[in-house]
Amino acid sequence: MANEIYLPTDHVVDRSRLPSFEQYQDMHKQSLDEPQQFWADIVNDIHWQTPPESGNFMTYNFDITKGKIFVKCLEGSLTNVCFNVLDKNVRNGYGDKIAFYWEGNHPEDYSRVTYAKLYDLVCQFGNALRDRNIGKGDRVAIYMPMILETVVCMLACARIGAIHSVVFAGFSSDSLAERMSDCKAKVLVTADGGWRGTKLLTLKDTCDEAIQKAKEKYNHEVKTCIVVAHLERVTACGKLPHDLRDLYKWNQDVDVWWHEMMEGQSNICPPEWMQAEDPLFMLYTSGSTGKPKGVLHTTAGYLLYAKATFRYVFDHRDKDIYWCTADVGWITGHTYVVYAPLANGATCVMFEGTPFYPDNDRYWAIIEKYKVTQFYTAPTAIRALMKFGDSHVKKHNMSTLRVLASVGEPINPEAWLWYYKLVGSNRCSIADTFWQTETGGHVITSIPAATPMKPGCAGYPFFGVDPVILDNDGQVVTGVGEGYLTFKRPWPGIMRTLYGDHDRFQDVYFKRFPGYYCTGDGAKRDEDGMIWVTGRIDDMLNVSGHLMSTSEVESVLTEDSRVSEAAVVAKPHKVKGESLYCFVSLNEGATYNAELVDALKRRVRDRIGAFAAPDVIQFAPGMPKTRSGKIMRRVLRKIALGESDFGDISTLADPSVLDELVKHRST
Ligand code: PRX
């Protein structure tokens, strides 16, 4: 554990709204002792069609032994998230302020949209959806590249009370079909395609397949597919067919062009006034067993929490230019590309491309071009960029930067220091933001001008957050120590349920330690009271910041009729953080060879998505199992790591399998 302390510099403190540690501590204390008073400032900065009942900030039950788990925040109020992020800003005189600078995959493709223009587009698209009979509570699936229409679509859903379910556009048609069917989406919104570097994403084609699979496999019919014509308006960065229509089939009964739907639509679209606990959106995240979990976020608490975390964690000021590189298909893209910045009237950069195109300095070039003040990215991107040396960073003027932030996995000290010293010129603060799809917003983080920083350490609880470290027996670890990271009470932005499966919600998060929300991550508290998140302690893998379950990948591998059993473990990877190392046992007569390895890797890509592709498929003549038949993953992890000290293997049913596994180990 690198224990070097870095303090915020004057560069950050001088412009801060929260410039001291004492102030952070006082505010944190008040947020726990007097939540109503603490949140009042931000609550009053939200438009309420009907104000919340006073004295009723939050009600909840976090203890499963006392009954059903629930969380309610600002009950009795009526509001609309879209109204707050658009109408309110326009009314406050921000109409001409840029909401987004859009930067395409190719540097020659860029545009911008003001708050007033975004408002018009959202109202028009809201009306177009209403024309198709989409309204409050309906689910809208979104499978889009990083383009402005994606934001328009999400906000239009919020405006009319529809629940959006964005599926990351790197997911396969199977994954999309499963997610659309699970939430019974009425509509799917996509684009004809998009570019990532020189790679063409044939999104519409994937959607066609997904719609077909949803029908065949899940008996769910998606009646409308709305398509943005994106490819024709941007520079081709690779090969394209002469006629773009060759990229997909057009189904007259289902497909409709975005621009045709927008034609003639009015820019007046009355918002649907939503109850505080009405759903805002759902977002699927991997579960350690079975199908993906549809994490559900609701209206008032999410808005409040998104607004507050953005204000303090990025230390946002009016003239700032903020850039979060996350894709909108993940929770970071929801909260910190769309809702939180807009709720603060911020000007954001939205980027369609990759850090490596047309050159490996693209991120730094964009920071220089737009004079970015806050930059939010993932450790995997930082590590990938470090590899190209310092010169790419040095050739750009990035003196506008004040806050650098990180999310997705623990950031290794080496990457932290490179980010701090080179990108931040030893004077920007780094906010290592720990949170989850489920938490809605940051929960453990540094506050740029207020809290000390240590490379690799997430730091301190955000306001309203009460972290507790528990040991294996559920005993509270006080002071210095390590254990499970849990939370003793809810904060406004926490998920409310898993869509359509409240029992699973309770089982997954509240059963292990009654009275606590269990994150599934390990954490240690150091002698300065700072919290280090050490990584997952369940059967989850974190590849390039994308969470996936070992069992999800295992079940795809065993779909191949040659595979009798599969076990997947995480192996540390220099850039991705973790990579997938898979062990497969084969059925009688099947042969382990390069063709099988290729076929299995392809299968995982096709069924889940390219980002889930395994690095290694190792032949396992037998699996190391306990006498009760449970695979000892701990042992497999050691094999993957190339270690030969397997620790206590006394419970292993047949120790001889270890020699075989070592023999077949991939080097
Ligand atoms: O293991 C933690 C890791 O990512 C998980 C949440 O993944 P997801 O729901 O996909 O959301 C990612 C973006 C918020 C966590 O359980 N994680 C995320 N941020 C950090 C982190 N681990 C350590 N430090 C972080 N800053």
Side-chain angles (χ1 to χ4, degrees), residues 285 330-332 376 406-411 432-439 444 456 458 519-521 533-536 542 545-547:
T285 184
W330 308 108
I331 189 67
T332 310
Y376 193 19
S406 167
V407 61
E409 59 180 301
I411 179 167
D432 178 355
T433 61
F434 167 83
W435 61 298
Q436 309 176 296
T437 306
E438 293 86 342
T439 68
I444 310 274
T519 59
D521 284 288
V533 179
T534 50
R536 301 295 306 182
N542 191 330
H546 304 326
L547 213 55

PDB file of all heavy atoms in Angstrom, residues 285 330-332 376 406-411 432-439 444 456 458 519-521 533-536 542 545-547, ligand 1:
ATOM      1  N   THR A 285     -26.910  -5.015 -15.124  1.00  0.00           N
ATOM      2  CA  THR A 285     -25.532  -5.258 -14.707  1.00  0.00           C
ATOM      3  C   THR A 285     -25.408  -6.749 -14.443  1.00  0.00           C
ATOM      4  O   THR A 285     -26.406  -7.427 -14.171  1.00  0.00           O
ATOM      5  CB  THR A 285     -25.174  -4.405 -13.472  1.00  0.00           C
ATOM      6  OG1 THR A 285     -23.797  -4.597 -13.157  1.00  0.00           O
ATOM      7  CG2 THR A 285     -25.998  -4.757 -12.259  1.00  0.00           C
ATOM      8  N   TRP A 330     -23.026   2.410 -19.833  1.00  0.00           N
ATOM      9  CA  TRP A 330     -22.715   2.004 -18.457  1.00  0.00           C
ATOM     10  C   TRP A 330     -23.266   3.057 -17.499  1.00  0.00           C
ATOM     11  O   TRP A 330     -23.586   4.172 -17.920  1.00  0.00           O
ATOM     12  CB  TRP A 330     -21.204   1.869 -18.246  1.00  0.00           C
ATOM     13  CG  TRP A 330     -20.545   1.000 -19.275  1.00  0.00           C
ATOM     14  CD1 TRP A 330     -19.726   1.412 -20.275  1.00  0.00           C
ATOM     15  CD2 TRP A 330     -20.664  -0.427 -19.415  1.00  0.00           C
ATOM     16  NE1 TRP A 330     -19.314   0.334 -21.027  1.00  0.00           N
ATOM     17  CE2 TRP A 330     -19.877  -0.803 -20.534  1.00  0.00           C
ATOM     18  CE3 TRP A 330     -21.350  -1.418 -18.709  1.00  0.00           C
ATOM     19  CZ2 TRP A 330     -19.759  -2.125 -20.952  1.00  0.00           C
ATOM     20  CZ3 TRP A 330     -21.229  -2.738 -19.133  1.00  0.00           C
ATOM     21  CH2 TRP A 330     -20.442  -3.079 -20.237  1.00  0.00           C
ATOM     22  N   ILE A 331     -23.272   2.737 -16.226  1.00  0.00           N
ATOM     23  CA  ILE A 331     -23.874   3.681 -15.265  1.00  0.00           C
ATOM     24  C   ILE A 331     -23.103   5.008 -15.253  1.00  0.00           C
ATOM     25  O   ILE A 331     -23.701   6.073 -15.096  1.00  0.00           O
ATOM     26  CB  ILE A 331     -23.962   3.081 -13.830  1.00  0.00           C
ATOM     27  CG1 ILE A 331     -24.784   3.965 -12.896  1.00  0.00           C
ATOM     28  CG2 ILE A 331     -22.579   2.845 -13.245  1.00  0.00           C
ATOM     29  CD1 ILE A 331     -26.239   4.078 -13.212  1.00  0.00           C
ATOM     30  N   THR A 332     -21.793   4.970 -15.438  1.00  0.00           N
ATOM     31  CA  THR A 332     -21.044   6.227 -15.424  1.00  0.00           C
ATOM     32  C   THR A 332     -21.555   7.154 -16.525  1.00  0.00           C
ATOM     33  O   THR A 332     -21.652   8.368 -16.352  1.00  0.00           O
ATOM     34  CB  THR A 332     -19.533   5.968 -15.588  1.00  0.00           C
ATOM     35  OG1 THR A 332     -19.162   4.966 -14.644  1.00  0.00           O
ATOM     36  CG2 THR A 332     -18.716   7.216 -15.333  1.00  0.00           C
ATOM     37  N   TYR A 376     -12.660  12.858 -16.572  1.00  0.00           N
ATOM     38  CA  TYR A 376     -13.079  11.672 -15.812  1.00  0.00           C
ATOM     39  C   TYR A 376     -12.911  10.448 -16.696  1.00  0.00           C
ATOM     40  O   TYR A 376     -13.572  10.340 -17.727  1.00  0.00           O
ATOM     41  CB  TYR A 376     -14.551  11.873 -15.434  1.00  0.00           C
ATOM     42  CG  TYR A 376     -15.130  10.936 -14.404  1.00  0.00           C
ATOM     43  CD1 TYR A 376     -14.337  10.199 -13.541  1.00  0.00           C
ATOM     44  CD2 TYR A 376     -16.520  10.825 -14.258  1.00  0.00           C
ATOM     45  CE1 TYR A 376     -14.908   9.373 -12.581  1.00  0.00           C
ATOM     46  CE2 TYR A 376     -17.104  10.004 -13.296  1.00  0.00           C
ATOM     47  CZ  TYR A 376     -16.295   9.276 -12.469  1.00  0.00           C
ATOM     48  OH  TYR A 376     -16.852   8.465 -11.525  1.00  0.00           O
ATOM     49  N   SER A 406     -11.224   9.180 -11.639  1.00  0.00           N
ATOM     50  CA  SER A 406     -11.029   7.801 -12.065  1.00  0.00           C
ATOM     51  C   SER A 406     -12.195   6.959 -11.571  1.00  0.00           C
ATOM     52  O   SER A 406     -12.721   7.199 -10.483  1.00  0.00           O
ATOM     53  CB  SER A 406      -9.708   7.307 -11.459  1.00  0.00           C
ATOM     54  OG  SER A 406      -9.595   5.912 -11.572  1.00  0.00           O
ATOM     55  N   VAL A 407     -12.580   5.968 -12.346  1.00  0.00           N
ATOM     56  CA  VAL A 407     -13.688   5.099 -11.951  1.00  0.00           C
ATOM     57  C   VAL A 407     -13.592   3.749 -12.633  1.00  0.00           C
ATOM     58  O   VAL A 407     -13.031   3.634 -13.708  1.00  0.00           O
ATOM     59  CB  VAL A 407     -15.058   5.721 -12.322  1.00  0.00           C
ATOM     60  CG1 VAL A 407     -15.201   5.936 -13.810  1.00  0.00           C
ATOM     61  CG2 VAL A 407     -16.226   4.869 -11.805  1.00  0.00           C
ATOM     62  N   GLY A 408     -14.147   2.746 -11.986  1.00  0.00           N
ATOM     63  CA  GLY A 408     -14.326   1.452 -12.646  1.00  0.00           C
ATOM     64  C   GLY A 408     -13.622   0.310 -11.958  1.00  0.00           C
ATOM     65  O   GLY A 408     -14.058  -0.820 -12.016  1.00  0.00           O
ATOM     66  N   GLU A 409     -12.516   0.601 -11.314  1.00  0.00           N
ATOM     67  CA  GLU A 409     -11.750  -0.449 -10.639  1.00  0.00           C
ATOM     68  C   GLU A 409     -10.718   0.269  -9.772  1.00  0.00           C
ATOM     69  O   GLU A 409     -10.505   1.479  -9.930  1.00  0.00           O
ATOM     70  CB  GLU A 409     -11.035  -1.326 -11.674  1.00  0.00           C
ATOM     71  CG  GLU A 409     -10.100  -0.535 -12.541  1.00  0.00           C
ATOM     72  CD  GLU A 409      -9.390  -1.380 -13.579  1.00  0.00           C
ATOM     73  OE1 GLU A 409      -8.699  -2.312 -13.165  1.00  0.00           O
ATOM     74  OE2 GLU A 409      -9.508  -1.075 -14.765  1.00  0.00           O
ATOM     75  N   PRO A 410     -10.078  -0.463  -8.874  1.00  0.00           N
ATOM     76  CA  PRO A 410      -9.043   0.196  -8.093  1.00  0.00           C
ATOM     77  C   PRO A 410      -7.961   0.695  -9.045  1.00  0.00           C
ATOM     78  O   PRO A 410      -7.592  -0.015  -9.976  1.00  0.00           O
ATOM     79  CB  PRO A 410      -8.505  -0.936  -7.215  1.00  0.00           C
ATOM     80  CG  PRO A 410      -9.564  -1.991  -7.210  1.00  0.00           C
ATOM     81  CD  PRO A 410     -10.273  -1.876  -8.524  1.00  0.00           C
ATOM     82  N   ILE A 411      -7.497   1.900  -8.850  1.00  0.00           N
ATOM     83  CA  ILE A 411      -6.426   2.405  -9.730  1.00  0.00           C
ATOM     84  C   ILE A 411      -5.084   2.056  -9.089  1.00  0.00           C
ATOM     85  O   ILE A 411      -4.868   2.325  -7.898  1.00  0.00           O
ATOM     86  CB  ILE A 411      -6.579   3.919 -10.029  1.00  0.00           C
ATOM     87  CG1 ILE A 411      -5.433   4.415 -10.922  1.00  0.00           C
ATOM     88  CG2 ILE A 411      -6.722   4.772  -8.786  1.00  0.00           C
ATOM     89  CD1 ILE A 411      -5.665   5.800 -11.518  1.00  0.00           C
ATOM     90  N   ASP A 432     -10.607   9.574  -6.933  1.00  0.00           N
ATOM     91  CA  ASP A 432     -10.767   8.149  -7.234  1.00  0.00           C
ATOM     92  C   ASP A 432     -12.155   7.787  -6.735  1.00  0.00           C
ATOM     93  O   ASP A 432     -12.373   7.630  -5.539  1.00  0.00           O
ATOM     94  CB  ASP A 432      -9.667   7.372  -6.509  1.00  0.00           C
ATOM     95  CG  ASP A 432      -9.772   5.873  -6.713  1.00  0.00           C
ATOM     96  OD1 ASP A 432     -10.742   5.414  -7.343  1.00  0.00           O
ATOM     97  OD2 ASP A 432      -8.880   5.159  -6.218  1.00  0.00           O
ATOM     98  N   THR A 433     -13.090   7.682  -7.657  1.00  0.00           N
ATOM     99  CA  THR A 433     -14.497   7.555  -7.264  1.00  0.00           C
ATOM    100  C   THR A 433     -14.915   6.099  -7.239  1.00  0.00           C
ATOM    101  O   THR A 433     -15.013   5.453  -8.281  1.00  0.00           O
ATOM    102  CB  THR A 433     -15.404   8.319  -8.244  1.00  0.00           C
ATOM    103  OG1 THR A 433     -15.246   7.749  -9.557  1.00  0.00           O
ATOM    104  CG2 THR A 433     -15.036   9.794  -8.306  1.00  0.00           C
ATOM    105  N   PHE A 434     -15.160   5.588  -6.068  1.00  0.00           N
ATOM    106  CA  PHE A 434     -15.709   4.234  -5.968  1.00  0.00           C
ATOM    107  C   PHE A 434     -17.226   4.319  -5.956  1.00  0.00           C
ATOM    108  O   PHE A 434     -17.819   5.063  -5.169  1.00  0.00           O
ATOM    109  CB  PHE A 434     -15.250   3.526  -4.683  1.00  0.00           C
ATOM    110  CG  PHE A 434     -16.068   2.275  -4.448  1.00  0.00           C
ATOM    111  CD1 PHE A 434     -15.734   1.090  -5.088  1.00  0.00           C
ATOM    112  CD2 PHE A 434     -17.201   2.303  -3.648  1.00  0.00           C
ATOM    113  CE1 PHE A 434     -16.515  -0.047  -4.930  1.00  0.00           C
ATOM    114  CE2 PHE A 434     -17.981   1.164  -3.482  1.00  0.00           C
ATOM    115  CZ  PHE A 434     -17.634  -0.009  -4.122  1.00  0.00           C
ATOM    116  N   TRP A 435     -17.843   3.554  -6.805  1.00  0.00           N
ATOM    117  CA  TRP A 435     -19.307   3.404  -6.796  1.00  0.00           C
ATOM    118  C   TRP A 435     -19.704   2.261  -7.696  1.00  0.00           C
ATOM    119  O   TRP A 435     -18.830   1.568  -8.222  1.00  0.00           O
ATOM    120  CB  TRP A 435     -19.999   4.714  -7.149  1.00  0.00           C
ATOM    121  CG  TRP A 435     -19.717   5.309  -8.502  1.00  0.00           C
ATOM    122  CD1 TRP A 435     -18.515   5.737  -8.969  1.00  0.00           C
ATOM    123  CD2 TRP A 435     -20.658   5.539  -9.550  1.00  0.00           C
ATOM    124  NE1 TRP A 435     -18.654   6.233 -10.241  1.00  0.00           N
ATOM    125  CE2 TRP A 435     -19.963   6.118 -10.625  1.00  0.00           C
ATOM    126  CE3 TRP A 435     -22.035   5.334  -9.681  1.00  0.00           C
ATOM    127  CZ2 TRP A 435     -20.589   6.477 -11.815  1.00  0.00           C
ATOM    128  CZ3 TRP A 435     -22.647   5.699 -10.854  1.00  0.00           C
ATOM    129  CH2 TRP A 435     -21.930   6.264 -11.909  1.00  0.00           C
ATOM    130  N   GLN A 436     -21.000   2.040  -7.848  1.00  0.00           N
ATOM    131  CA  GLN A 436     -21.493   0.896  -8.606  1.00  0.00           C
ATOM    132  C   GLN A 436     -22.765   1.280  -9.359  1.00  0.00           C
ATOM    133  O   GLN A 436     -23.412   2.269  -8.995  1.00  0.00           O
ATOM    134  CB  GLN A 436     -21.875  -0.244  -7.652  1.00  0.00           C
ATOM    135  CG  GLN A 436     -20.821  -0.611  -6.640  1.00  0.00           C
ATOM    136  CD  GLN A 436     -21.309  -1.677  -5.673  1.00  0.00           C
ATOM    137  OE1 GLN A 436     -22.239  -1.451  -4.901  1.00  0.00           O
ATOM    138  NE2 GLN A 436     -20.694  -2.842  -5.718  1.00  0.00           N
ATOM    139  N   THR A 437     -23.138   0.459 -10.322  1.00  0.00           N
ATOM    140  CA  THR A 437     -24.419   0.667 -11.008  1.00  0.00           C
ATOM    141  C   THR A 437     -25.514   0.835  -9.946  1.00  0.00           C
ATOM    142  O   THR A 437     -26.404   1.678 -10.071  1.00  0.00           O
ATOM    143  CB  THR A 437     -24.740  -0.561 -11.896  1.00  0.00           C
ATOM    144  OG1 THR A 437     -23.624  -0.778 -12.758  1.00  0.00           O
ATOM    145  CG2 THR A 437     -25.991  -0.338 -12.720  1.00  0.00           C
ATOM    146  N   GLU A 438     -25.407   0.044  -8.911  1.00  0.00           N
ATOM    147  CA  GLU A 438     -26.428   0.010  -7.874  1.00  0.00           C
ATOM    148  C   GLU A 438     -26.453   1.272  -7.010  1.00  0.00           C
ATOM    149  O   GLU A 438     -27.486   1.615  -6.438  1.00  0.00           O
ATOM    150  CB  GLU A 438     -26.167  -1.192  -6.946  1.00  0.00           C
ATOM    151  CG  GLU A 438     -26.352  -2.560  -7.588  1.00  0.00           C
ATOM    152  CD  GLU A 438     -25.107  -3.085  -8.315  1.00  0.00           C
ATOM    153  OE1 GLU A 438     -24.207  -2.272  -8.634  1.00  0.00           O
ATOM    154  OE2 GLU A 438     -25.045  -4.293  -8.566  1.00  0.00           O
ATOM    155  N   THR A 439     -25.304   1.921  -6.859  1.00  0.00           N
ATOM    156  CA  THR A 439     -25.266   3.049  -5.916  1.00  0.00           C
ATOM    157  C   THR A 439     -25.736   4.356  -6.558  1.00  0.00           C
ATOM    158  O   THR A 439     -25.938   5.341  -5.866  1.00  0.00           O
ATOM    159  CB  THR A 439     -23.852   3.259  -5.315  1.00  0.00           C
ATOM    160  OG1 THR A 439     -22.976   3.718  -6.350  1.00  0.00           O
ATOM    161  CG2 THR A 439     -23.291   1.992  -4.689  1.00  0.00           C
ATOM    162  N   ILE A 444     -17.729   6.389  -2.269  1.00  0.00           N
ATOM    163  CA  ILE A 444     -16.452   6.617  -1.573  1.00  0.00           C
ATOM    164  C   ILE A 444     -15.561   7.349  -2.567  1.00  0.00           C
ATOM    165  O   ILE A 444     -15.353   6.879  -3.686  1.00  0.00           O
ATOM    166  CB  ILE A 444     -15.749   5.298  -1.185  1.00  0.00           C
ATOM    167  CG1 ILE A 444     -16.674   4.348  -0.457  1.00  0.00           C
ATOM    168  CG2 ILE A 444     -14.466   5.572  -0.399  1.00  0.00           C
ATOM    169  CD1 ILE A 444     -16.788   4.521   1.015  1.00  0.00           C
ATOM    170  N   GLY A 456      -4.111   5.253  -5.272  1.00  0.00           N
ATOM    171  CA  GLY A 456      -4.778   3.958  -5.201  1.00  0.00           C
ATOM    172  C   GLY A 456      -5.841   3.860  -4.138  1.00  0.00           C
ATOM    173  O   GLY A 456      -6.469   2.812  -3.974  1.00  0.00           O
ATOM    174  N   ALA A 458      -9.433   5.117  -2.528  1.00  0.00           N
ATOM    175  CA  ALA A 458     -10.668   5.846  -2.883  1.00  0.00           C
ATOM    176  C   ALA A 458     -10.910   6.993  -1.899  1.00  0.00           C
ATOM    177  O   ALA A 458     -11.310   8.073  -2.291  1.00  0.00           O
ATOM    178  CB  ALA A 458     -11.853   4.898  -2.925  1.00  0.00           C
ATOM    179  N   THR A 519     -21.738  -4.530  -0.798  1.00  0.00           N
ATOM    180  CA  THR A 519     -21.302  -4.128  -2.139  1.00  0.00           C
ATOM    181  C   THR A 519     -20.730  -5.288  -2.947  1.00  0.00           C
ATOM    182  O   THR A 519     -20.686  -5.217  -4.162  1.00  0.00           O
ATOM    183  CB  THR A 519     -20.182  -3.072  -2.050  1.00  0.00           C
ATOM    184  OG1 THR A 519     -19.089  -3.644  -1.305  1.00  0.00           O
ATOM    185  CG2 THR A 519     -20.651  -1.791  -1.390  1.00  0.00           C
ATOM    186  N   GLY A 520     -20.218  -6.316  -2.243  1.00  0.00           N
ATOM    187  CA  GLY A 520     -19.506  -7.375  -2.967  1.00  0.00           C
ATOM    188  C   GLY A 520     -18.032  -7.043  -3.161  1.00  0.00           C
ATOM    189  O   GLY A 520     -17.291  -7.796  -3.771  1.00  0.00           O
ATOM    190  N   ASP A 521     -17.610  -5.908  -2.616  1.00  0.00           N
ATOM    191  CA  ASP A 521     -16.198  -5.518  -2.694  1.00  0.00           C
ATOM    192  C   ASP A 521     -15.540  -5.642  -1.328  1.00  0.00           C
ATOM    193  O   ASP A 521     -16.203  -5.499  -0.297  1.00  0.00           O
ATOM    194  CB  ASP A 521     -16.073  -4.051  -3.146  1.00  0.00           C
ATOM    195  CG  ASP A 521     -16.325  -3.904  -4.625  1.00  0.00           C
ATOM    196  OD1 ASP A 521     -15.468  -4.316  -5.409  1.00  0.00           O
ATOM    197  OD2 ASP A 521     -17.401  -3.392  -4.994  1.00  0.00           O
ATOM    198  N   VAL A 533     -10.492   0.447  -1.577  1.00  0.00           N
ATOM    199  CA  VAL A 533     -11.335  -0.640  -2.089  1.00  0.00           C
ATOM    200  C   VAL A 533     -10.389  -1.628  -2.764  1.00  0.00           C
ATOM    201  O   VAL A 533      -9.597  -1.253  -3.628  1.00  0.00           O
ATOM    202  CB  VAL A 533     -12.385  -0.112  -3.080  1.00  0.00           C
ATOM    203  CG1 VAL A 533     -13.226  -1.258  -3.620  1.00  0.00           C
ATOM    204  CG2 VAL A 533     -13.259   0.934  -2.397  1.00  0.00           C
ATOM    205  N   THR A 534     -10.489  -2.893  -2.347  1.00  0.00           N
ATOM    206  CA  THR A 534      -9.467  -3.837  -2.807  1.00  0.00           C
ATOM    207  C   THR A 534      -9.940  -4.721  -3.959  1.00  0.00           C
ATOM    208  O   THR A 534      -9.166  -5.494  -4.495  1.00  0.00           O
ATOM    209  CB  THR A 534      -9.015  -4.729  -1.637  1.00  0.00           C
ATOM    210  OG1 THR A 534     -10.190  -5.263  -1.006  1.00  0.00           O
ATOM    211  CG2 THR A 534      -8.212  -3.940  -0.624  1.00  0.00           C
ATOM    212  N   GLY A 535     -11.206  -4.634  -4.324  1.00  0.00           N
ATOM    213  CA  GLY A 535     -11.693  -5.429  -5.459  1.00  0.00           C
ATOM    214  C   GLY A 535     -12.799  -6.377  -5.049  1.00  0.00           C
ATOM    215  O   GLY A 535     -13.147  -6.485  -3.866  1.00  0.00           O
ATOM    216  N   ARG A 536     -13.344  -7.075  -6.017  1.00  0.00           N
ATOM    217  CA  ARG A 536     -14.510  -7.941  -5.780  1.00  0.00           C
ATOM    218  C   ARG A 536     -14.131  -9.102  -4.872  1.00  0.00           C
ATOM    219  O   ARG A 536     -13.018  -9.639  -4.957  1.00  0.00           O
ATOM    220  CB  ARG A 536     -15.021  -8.511  -7.104  1.00  0.00           C
ATOM    221  CG  ARG A 536     -15.430  -7.494  -8.126  1.00  0.00           C
ATOM    222  CD  ARG A 536     -16.609  -6.675  -7.730  1.00  0.00           C
ATOM    223  NE  ARG A 536     -17.767  -7.446  -7.350  1.00  0.00           N
ATOM    224  CZ  ARG A 536     -18.931  -6.889  -6.995  1.00  0.00           C
ATOM    225  NH1 ARG A 536     -19.063  -5.567  -6.974  1.00  0.00           N
ATOM    226  NH2 ARG A 536     -19.950  -7.630  -6.658  1.00  0.00           N
ATOM    227  N   ASN A 542     -13.610  -8.072 -13.284  1.00  0.00           N
ATOM    228  CA  ASN A 542     -13.665  -6.683 -13.723  1.00  0.00           C
ATOM    229  C   ASN A 542     -12.639  -6.512 -14.847  1.00  0.00           C
ATOM    230  O   ASN A 542     -11.465  -6.331 -14.608  1.00  0.00           O
ATOM    231  CB  ASN A 542     -13.358  -5.765 -12.537  1.00  0.00           C
ATOM    232  CG  ASN A 542     -13.658  -4.316 -12.855  1.00  0.00           C
ATOM    233  OD1 ASN A 542     -13.558  -3.892 -14.002  1.00  0.00           O
ATOM    234  ND2 ASN A 542     -14.022  -3.554 -11.847  1.00  0.00           N
ATOM    235  N   GLY A 545     -12.808  -2.412 -16.454  1.00  0.00           N
ATOM    236  CA  GLY A 545     -13.886  -1.683 -15.793  1.00  0.00           C
ATOM    237  C   GLY A 545     -15.261  -2.249 -16.097  1.00  0.00           C
ATOM    238  O   GLY A 545     -16.261  -1.728 -15.626  1.00  0.00           O
ATOM    239  N   HIS A 546     -15.346  -3.314 -16.882  1.00  0.00           N
ATOM    240  CA  HIS A 546     -16.652  -3.931 -17.141  1.00  0.00           C
ATOM    241  C   HIS A 546     -16.805  -5.133 -16.225  1.00  0.00           C
ATOM    242  O   HIS A 546     -15.995  -6.051 -16.249  1.00  0.00           O
ATOM    243  CB  HIS A 546     -16.773  -4.424 -18.588  1.00  0.00           C
ATOM    244  CG  HIS A 546     -16.528  -3.358 -19.599  1.00  0.00           C
ATOM    245  ND1 HIS A 546     -16.891  -2.052 -19.392  1.00  0.00           N
ATOM    246  CD2 HIS A 546     -15.961  -3.393 -20.825  1.00  0.00           C
ATOM    247  CE1 HIS A 546     -16.557  -1.339 -20.445  1.00  0.00           C
ATOM    248  NE2 HIS A 546     -15.978  -2.117 -21.322  1.00  0.00           N
ATOM    249  N   LEU A 547     -17.884  -5.093 -15.478  1.00  0.00           N
ATOM    250  CA  LEU A 547     -18.106  -6.167 -14.525  1.00  0.00           C
ATOM    251  C   LEU A 547     -18.804  -7.331 -15.214  1.00  0.00           C
ATOM    252  O   LEU A 547     -19.761  -7.132 -15.943  1.00  0.00           O
ATOM    253  CB  LEU A 547     -19.009  -5.609 -13.430  1.00  0.00           C
ATOM    254  CG  LEU A 547     -18.823  -6.119 -12.028  1.00  0.00           C
ATOM    255  CD1 LEU A 547     -17.391  -5.948 -11.576  1.00  0.00           C
ATOM    256  CD2 LEU A 547     -19.755  -5.365 -11.103  1.00  0.00           C
TER     257      LEU A 547
HETATM  258  O1  PRX B   1     -15.623  -3.599  -7.866  1.00  0.00           O
HETATM  259  C1  PRX B   1     -15.995  -2.249  -7.863  1.00  0.00           C
HETATM  260  C2  PRX B   1     -15.487  -1.598  -9.136  1.00  0.00           C
HETATM  261  O2  PRX B   1     -16.550  -1.689 -10.061  1.00  0.00           O
HETATM  262  C3  PRX B   1     -17.688  -2.298  -9.452  1.00  0.00           C
HETATM  263  C4  PRX B   1     -18.951  -1.679  -9.974  1.00  0.00           C
HETATM  264  O3  PRX B   1     -19.052  -1.913 -11.334  1.00  0.00           O
HETATM  265  P1  PRX B   1     -20.245  -1.265 -12.146  1.00  0.00           P
HETATM  266  O4  PRX B   1     -21.533  -1.511 -11.455  1.00  0.00           O
HETATM  267  O5  PRX B   1     -20.105  -1.756 -13.538  1.00  0.00           O
HETATM  268  O6  PRX B   1     -19.980   0.280 -12.087  1.00  0.00           O
HETATM  269  C5  PRX B   1     -18.783   0.794 -12.564  1.00  0.00           C
HETATM  270  C6  PRX B   1     -18.826   2.300 -12.548  1.00  0.00           C
HETATM  271  C7  PRX B   1     -19.322   2.926 -11.318  1.00  0.00           C
HETATM  272  C8  PRX B   1     -17.487  -2.099  -7.991  1.00  0.00           C
HETATM  273  O7  PRX B   1     -18.238  -3.001  -7.221  1.00  0.00           O
HETATM  274  N1  PRX B   1     -15.121  -0.185  -8.949  1.00  0.00           N
HETATM  275  C9  PRX B   1     -15.723   0.888  -9.503  1.00  0.00           C
HETATM  276  N2  PRX B   1     -15.064   2.017  -9.190  1.00  0.00           N
HETATM  277  C10 PRX B   1     -14.032   1.662  -8.388  1.00  0.00           C
HETATM  278  C11 PRX B   1     -14.073   0.270  -8.233  1.00  0.00           C
HETATM  279  N3  PRX B   1     -13.186  -0.381  -7.464  1.00  0.00           N
HETATM  280  C12 PRX B   1     -12.233   0.337  -6.853  1.00  0.00           C
HETATM  281  N4  PRX B   1     -12.123   1.674  -6.974  1.00  0.00           N
HETATM  282  C13 PRX B   1     -12.986   2.382  -7.719  1.00  0.00           C
HETATM  283  N5  PRX B   1     -12.844   3.704  -7.835  1.00  0.00           N
END
